[in-house]
Amino acid sequence: MSFGKVIPLNTGVVIPQIGLGTWLSKPNEVENAVEIAVRNGYRHLDLAMVYRNQDEVGRALRKVIPSVVSREQLFITSKLWNSSHQPQVVEAELDETLKQLGLSYLDLYLIHWPAAFVPGSGLLPVKSDEEVHLDTETSLVDTWNAMIKLLDTGKVKAIGVSNFTIAQIQGIIDATGVVPAVNQIEAHPLLPQDGLVAYCKEKGIHITAYSPLGNNLVGIPMLTENVVIQEVANRLGATPAQVLVAWGVYRGYSVIPKSVQESRIISNFKQAELSEEDYKEVSSIGIGNVRRYNIPVTYKPKWNINVFDEEIEKSATAQVKIA
């Protein structure tokens, strides 16, 4: 079983350290995955409007609440999508998420990306040139102010961000005085982002790690196939996935590995513990070998915006509008 550890957020509520991710799960797989996860001890579920599977999650929740858990025992995160960054539609998208899930509140609601799309044309409004139609007028501060107002509705317990850089976070704090509870980021041994991690720690912002095993978006091997990871796993009597989850735990993150296979859902929740030597060995695979798997400018359709200032993004025509 999991060690059952929970981590306090700057709001006073606690987040379970291991959760189930639902990104890149195929239709008709998530309902079963969520039910299996909750029946096997998971209490933290990570969701989003753009994953297009929240209705399935809702069906699973009806199977386990209240027979297996009470609503209050679960920590449920969802995310505001880019096509609803405009302040006047922020609450409407939250309401749609709650309707899909069959819930009256979320424990945490995040701005999914620091990029706005034009509203009213679906989740991925595409221009004629096969690029996503960006809204370059709505700022992150505009959206963050609308998120802050949600706290007074009782529909969200905490608010945060996802895929935000130091400058983007500092910009919304400077403008509003409200510090995000969480920054959810891609985090694994090839992408330690030590500067961002140190900044978030200083500000009291908790980090949730997505894609802790890497991902298969770009056609390169998953980190579970790395020889060093496999050697550490063999030494600990653990799976490579457990080692990668443990790396994030060692760094203080909450970690949300995604799987739809029952054996892996259960196994990912059985925590291994890294010694300092184990941790350094796992971390060594990223030295001189930094890789970010998830960069929107590489998507199809392309987002022509520089989010992270990675080399591949330097030619993007749009910059993130912070304020």
Side-chain angles (χ1 to χ4, degrees), residues 141-318:
V141 170
D142 294 335
T143 308
W144 187 238
N145 272 315
M147 294 284 283
I148 293 166
K149 289 177 181 172
L150 296 178
L151 291 168
D152 293 330
T153 68
K155 298 174 190 176
V156 297
K157 304 289 187 189
I159 54 172
V161 296
S162 181
N163 299 301
F164 272 48
T165 65
I166 293 172
Q168 293 156 8
I169 297 171
Q170 192 60 50
I172 63 173
I173 295 173
D174 288 346
T176 66
V178 177
V179 179
V182 168
N183 186 19
Q184 184 178 127
I185 58 174
E186 179 184 340
H188 46 71
L190 300 188
L191 193 64
Q193 301 191 85
D194 291 335
L196 177 61
V197 171
Y199 169 84
C200 287
K201 186 173 183 180
E202 177 197 330
K203 295 292 182 185
I205 300 167
H206 174 67
I207 287 177
T208 296
Y210 75 77
S211 294
L213 318 180
N215 67 43
N216 50 17
L217 279 181
V218 287
I220 64 171
M222 296 282 283
L223 296 180
T224 47
E225 297 173 43
N226 183 283
V227 174
V228 173
I229 304 298
Q230 292 181 341
E231 286 174 356
V232 174
N234 289 337
R235 192 165 69 234
L236 296 178
T239 67
Q242 287 167 349
V243 168
L244 289 159
V245 169
W247 181 87
V249 167
Y250 191 99
R251 289 171 68 86
Y253 308 155
S254 54
V255 187
I256 47 171
K258 163 253 162 181
S259 183
V260 294
Q261 297 178 21
E262 181 167 8
S263 61
R264 287 186 183 167
I265 290 170
I266 293 169
S267 139
N268 288 348
F269 197 60
K270 292 177 179 168
Q271 287 186 250
E273 192 162 17
L274 302 185
S275 67
E276 185 179 358
E277 291 73 24
D278 297 329
Y279 167 75
K280 286 178 177 174
E281 190 173 344
V282 172
S283 297
S284 73
I285 72 171
I287 296 172
N289 185 34
V290 173
R291 171 173 285 278
R292 186 187 294 277
Y293 287 81
N294 193 19
I295 305 175
V297 78
T298 66
Y299 290 178
K300 289 187 170 74
K302 174 181 178 178
W303 303 12
N304 201 344
I305 185 169
N306 182 346
V307 175
F308 302 115
D309 211 30
E310 295 276 350
E311 197 58 41
I312 197 171
E313 297 177 291
K314 297 287 176 69
S315 62
T317 54

Side-chain angles (χ1 to χ4, degrees), residues 6-231:
V6 296
I7 300 171
L9 302 181
N10 59 22
T11 59
V13 302
V14 295
I15 186 169
Q17 189 153 34
I18 308 298
L20 179 74
T22 57
W23 181 39
L24 300 177
S25 297
K26 295 188 182 74
N28 305 314
E29 294 180 332
V30 176
E31 179 179 349
N32 192 41
V34 169
E35 182 181 1
I36 289 166
V38 173
R39 290 189 185 279
N40 283 280
Y42 284 76
R43 296 294 178 263
H44 172 185
L45 304 172
D46 185 79
L47 321 172
M49 174 64 77
V50 79
Y51 302 164
R52 304 174 196 255
N53 55 22
Q54 291 189 138
D55 54 337
E56 286 187 53
V57 175
R59 291 198 294 272
L61 292 176
R62 288 190 284 279
K63 292 179 180 176
V64 295
I65 301 172
S67 57
V68 179
V69 289
S70 67
R71 167 65 185 93
E72 292 70 31
Q73 289 175 293
L74 293 175
F75 189 100
I76 298 177
T77 300
S78 189
K79 309 179 193 81
L80 177 80
W81 186 237
N82 308 351
S83 51
S84 293
H85 273 216
Q86 300 72 25
Q88 67 275 18
V89 295
V90 167
E91 187 172 1
E93 179 163 311
L94 169 63
D95 289 342
E96 179 59 27
T97 278
L98 292 172
K99 180 181 173 185
Q100 290 174 1
L101 296 171
L103 299 176
S104 61
Y105 72 92
L106 296 173
D107 296 277
L108 177 64
Y109 199 40
L110 307 178
I111 300 178
H112 202 150
W113 283 95
F117 296 169
V118 296
S121 299
L123 296 176
L124 281 174
V126 178
K127 298 191 295 182
S128 57
D129 56 4
E130 295 305 304
E131 287 184 5
V132 168
H133 196 170
L134 296 167
D135 168 1
T136 54
E137 296 302 313
T138 302
S139 72
L140 298 183
V141 170
D142 294 335
T143 308
W144 187 238
N145 272 315
M147 294 284 283
I148 293 166
K149 289 177 181 172
L150 296 178
L151 291 168
D152 293 330
T153 68
K155 298 174 190 176
V156 297
K157 304 289 187 189
I159 54 172
V161 296
S162 181
N163 299 301
F164 272 48
T165 65
I166 293 172
Q168 293 156 8
I169 297 171
Q170 192 60 50
I172 63 173
I173 295 173
D174 288 346
T176 66
V178 177
V179 179
V182 168
N183 186 19
Q184 184 178 127
I185 58 174
E186 179 184 340
H188 46 71
L190 300 188
L191 193 64
Q193 301 191 85
D194 291 335
L196 177 61
V197 171
Y199 169 84
C200 287
K201 186 173 183 180
E202 177 197 330
K203 295 292 182 185
I205 300 167
H206 174 67
I207 287 177
T208 296
Y210 75 77
S211 294
L213 318 180
N215 67 43
N216 50 17
L217 279 181
V218 287
I220 64 171
M222 296 282 283
L223 296 180
T224 47
E225 297 173 43
N226 183 283
V227 174
V228 173
I229 304 298
Q230 292 181 341
E231 286 174 356

